[in-house]
Amino acid sequence: MGQALHHPVPGLHGPWARLQAARSGRPVGRDRRHGITCALVPTDLPGVEVGRRHLPSGTMFQNGPTTGTDVFIPLDHIIGGPDYAGRGWMMLMSALAAGRGISLPSLSAAATAMAAHTTGAYSRIRTQFNLPIGLFGGVQEPLARIASSAYVIDAGRRLTTAALDEGHKLAVISAIMKYHATDRMRDAINDAMDVHSGKSVIDGPLNYLQPIYRTIPIGITVEGANIVTRNLIIFGQGAIRAHPHLLDEMQALQEPDQDKSLADFDRHFWAHVNHSVRTTFRAGWSAWTGRGVAPSDAGKVAPVYRRLSRWSAAFALTADMAFLTLGGALKRKEMISARLGDALSEMYLIAATLKRWEDEGRNEEDLPLVHHAADTGFARIGRALDETIANMPAKWVGWMLRPIIRPGARARGPSDKVTEAVAKLVYEPSASRERLVKGAYPPKPDSGLGLLNTAFKLVMEAEPITKRLRTARKTPREALEAGILSDAEFEQLKRVEDAVQKVIAVDDYTPDELARLFPERPSRATWPEAAE
């Protein structure tokens, strides 16, 4: 392993060892294994150098290079023992697939739930034109997107981690969750900052959104950058694994016995043809009639099941035509592969949403969340398939597919009525809101989030009084003088106003304080020491 540490992979950062992936340069045992080998490398081995720490996006993220030249690594330090020398790529992909399905989706679920909690509360306590801003349609739209994303991401996280717990290998699903969870987290935090407006851009302890905003690029780029995940992994890895016949056909072609190879391929090929014909009729029938398949006991979400069945048939047919016309070139058509991956991902997330609704006891008050999530997903599937068909090199494919699957039909996205209903679920206290933000860590009372929670509670307690003021069209002082308010109610409104102003307020600094926070920046080589 003379070149062992020229290809480091960030991993364990304990005091004595690093997880390293190295290219094996010498045979181990009877076999020559010139692949990648994973080993735990003690940092006190001769030649090992632990580099300086990185500071990604201003967060304390354990990361930094470990290098070395001509480092001798004992065989018992190979993870799995000598038999796993040269099998590091398999180990890395397996570990990465599991990790991508747990850590980053969990981070995204927590961050998006935080966005739903804070933005819903802020839109209730912040007023404009004497009305809470959460009653304005322009605010309800992003608020509904945030709440819907929080519901979907956590639904996907639950389903994925449950499957991982059972020992399933989820390379494709983990890639789906990694990409879509972090991407939707980014959109949710951006929407939350838009609603909070100026409050969200002022640095300081009172800003509860900016720390999350700074960490977004980490989730987007680590464990496989989202660009790579979307364009190469989701559909690229999932297509052959998910197809009922492609893998069998490929394995038949690799059979050394020619007679057996031809017999097996012939059987699988005609099964593939039969599958494609049935898929074509199913896709056309469900697209034109809207009569997809739904469980007999689906209840109020039966239309979602039928639409999911309709779009799954459309996706299967489109993917089959892509294989037929592009063959091996499909993996080089990254934009087509990415769009097909988007459609596949949305179907998984909609299925996870339906499962969450079932698992939580079919709460009818959550139906707007289910419909908003499903309508959003179906619109994205329709757009992805439409763009795929439009960009297929063989134009006859579009002429054939478009009238069959009707990619633009029934894919308009959530209605205004559904959007308004979802926004109201987080705009004020509700059982649905509690389920969305369940598990959030309780903040300190004097923190920005603690002040928001206090103000939200006080505002809701005073709602009957403020409603009376709006009806009378009087200020608190005028209402007190007119006998509409009692002295106790007037004092209650003052406490509410004080609490709201503490939330709206942002951090401020004197020039001297700013000078201490941001000293004149020296050269890069001396910056960390100077900052201390």
Side-chain angles (χ1 to χ4, degrees):
M1 289 185 162
Q3 312 247 326
L5 298 181
H6 284 305
H7 305 278
V9 172
L12 300 184
H13 291 274
W16 76 277
R18 298 292 188 268
L19 170 64
Q20 295 298 146
R23 186 172 299 281
S24 305
R26 301 177 63 182
V28 178
R30 296 180 181 177
D31 303 322
R32 294 186 60 87
R33 296 189 176 104
H34 292 278
I36 292 174
T37 297
C38 289
L40 284 173
V41 182
T43 56
D44 58 359
L45 282 181
V48 175
E49 297 180 6
V50 179
R52 300 169 67 178
R53 290 291 174 86
H54 297 152
L55 188 63
S57 298
T59 60
M60 297 299 108
F61 189 79
Q62 297 274 1
N63 195 55
T66 300
T67 59
T69 303
D70 294 332
V71 177
F72 176 78
I73 302 174
L75 290 178
D76 60 1
H77 287 193
I78 295 175
I79 298 176
D83 289 342
Y84 280 81
R87 299 176 66 183
W89 180 254
M90 176 271 292
M91 297 169 69
L92 288 170
M93 291 300 100
S94 177
L96 189 61
R100 282 190 301 200
I102 298 172
S103 59
L104 293 175
S106 297
L107 165 69
S108 302
T112 311
M114 166 76 163
H117 172 72
T118 56
T119 312
Y122 191 80
S123 69
R124 181 62 186 83
I125 71 167
R126 188 74 164 93
T127 58
Q128 193 72 35
F129 308 119
N130 209 29
L131 284 174
I133 62 173
L135 295 178
F136 293 95
V139 172
Q140 288 177 333
E141 195 169 8
L143 189 55
R145 286 197 299 263
I146 295 169
S148 176
S149 293
Y151 193 82
V152 172
I153 294 173
D154 203 47
R157 179 194 65 84
R158 295 181 189 190
L159 179 57
T160 303
T161 53
L164 289 169
D165 281 345
E166 293 183 0
H168 295 287
K169 306 297 183 183
L170 303 180
V172 174
I173 289 176
S174 292
I176 288 173
M177 286 305 301
K178 190 275 177 188
Y179 170 71
H180 286 277
T182 56
D183 201 56
R184 292 185 188 214
M185 171 184 67
R186 171 166 54 186
D187 292 341
I189 298 302
N190 283 337
D191 276 336
M193 295 186 77
D194 284 351
V195 174
H196 281 76
S197 192
K199 175 164 179 74
S200 64
V201 299
I202 305 299
D203 281 342
L206 294 178
N207 192 333
Y208 40 76
L209 288 175
Q210 201 165 79
I212 303 175
Y213 182 79
R214 282 199 297 266
T215 65
I216 289 174
I218 299 175
I220 297 294
T221 57
V222 301
E223 295 192 11
N226 276 9
I227 290 175
V228 176
T229 302
R230 176 175 180 258
N231 287 273
L232 297 178
I233 297 179
I234 295 176
F235 185 77
Q237 285 191 357
I240 295 176
R241 291 170 183 252
H243 198 282
H245 304 292
L246 271 178
L247 183 59
D248 292 334
E249 290 169 330
M250 294 171 65
Q251 290 174 338
L253 291 173
Q254 295 174 354
E255 170 62 46
D257 185 330
Q258 186 173 4
D259 291 338
K260 187 175 187 305
S261 175
L262 288 173
D264 288 348
F265 181 80
D266 188 63
R267 184 174 71 258
H268 295 309
F269 173 77
W270 287 111
H272 189 165
V273 170
N274 181 53
H275 167 75
S276 297
V277 171
R278 286 187 289 108
T279 300
T280 301
F281 280 104
R282 185 163 66 94
W285 171 259
S286 58
W288 281 93
T289 65
R291 296 181 181 179
V293 179
S296 58
D297 62 343
K300 294 188 176 181
V301 295
V304 180
Y305 279 102
R306 285 194 287 269
R307 292 174 71 191
L308 182 58
S309 173
R310 172 262 200 272
W311 284 113
S312 67
F315 167 78
L317 180 59
T318 306
D320 243 1
M321 293 305 298
F323 282 123
L324 175 66
T325 57
L326 292 171
L330 179 57
K331 63 184 178 182
R332 295 189 292 274
K333 296 290 185 180
E334 293 183 16
M335 287 182 278
I336 289 178
S337 179
R339 295 185 188 104
L340 290 170
D342 289 343
L344 176 65
S345 301
E346 293 297 336
M347 288 189 290
Y348 176 73
L349 292 171
I350 293 170
T353 299
L354 290 169
K355 186 176 188 306
R356 175 177 181 175
W357 191 72
E358 296 283 351
D359 289 346
E360 291 185 335
R362 298 189 173 194
N363 297 297
E364 290 200 18
E365 58 268 33
D366 291 351
L367 279 174
L369 286 165
V370 176
H371 287 299
H372 190 283
D375 291 345
T376 300
F378 291 136
R380 290 174 176 173
I381 293 171
R383 184 167 60 250
L385 295 185
D386 182 52
E387 292 174 358
T388 297
I389 293 170
N391 287 280
M392 293 283 266
K395 296 303 178 185
W396 63 268
V397 174
W399 301 335
M400 186 193 81
L401 284 182
R402 197 172 292 281
I404 294 176
I405 67 173
R406 304 178 70 209
R410 301 184 179 91
R412 298 187 182 91
S415 67
D416 291 351
K417 183 178 180 180
V418 169
T419 297
E420 183 178 348
V422 172
K424 286 185 176 179
L425 290 178
V426 289
Y427 164 79
E428 54 193 11
S430 68
S432 295
R433 176 185 166 89
E434 291 302 314
R435 281 188 287 272
L436 275 182
V437 304
K438 184 179 179 181
Y441 191 79
K444 294 181 179 179
D446 59 347
S447 67
L449 185 54
L451 294 174
L452 175 66
N453 290 346
T454 299
F456 184 52
K457 180 181 178 181
L458 292 176
V459 165
M460 296 313 303
E461 290 174 350
E463 172 62 16
I465 304 174
T466 54
K467 185 176 181 180
R468 202 187 316 157
L469 287 179
R470 284 195 297 270
T471 302
R473 296 185 178 183
K474 293 184 180 295
T475 66
R477 175 63 64 181
E478 291 171 343
L480 177 65
E481 293 173 351
I484 298 174
L485 291 183
S486 66
D487 291 339
E489 289 173 331
F490 181 78
E491 291 300 321
Q492 183 180 355
L493 289 181
K494 285 181 62 178
R495 290 194 297 273
V496 170
E497 180 62 21
D498 290 343
V500 169
Q501 289 304 315
K502 287 179 181 179
V503 175
I504 296 174
V506 297
D507 296 282
D508 49 38
Y509 308 89
T510 66
D512 290 341
E513 288 171 335
L514 288 175
R516 289 195 297 271
L517 284 172
F518 300 99
E520 184 178 353
R521 181 172 294 186
S523 66
R524 177 184 175 190
T526 60
W527 174 68
E529 290 80 3
E532 293 176 358

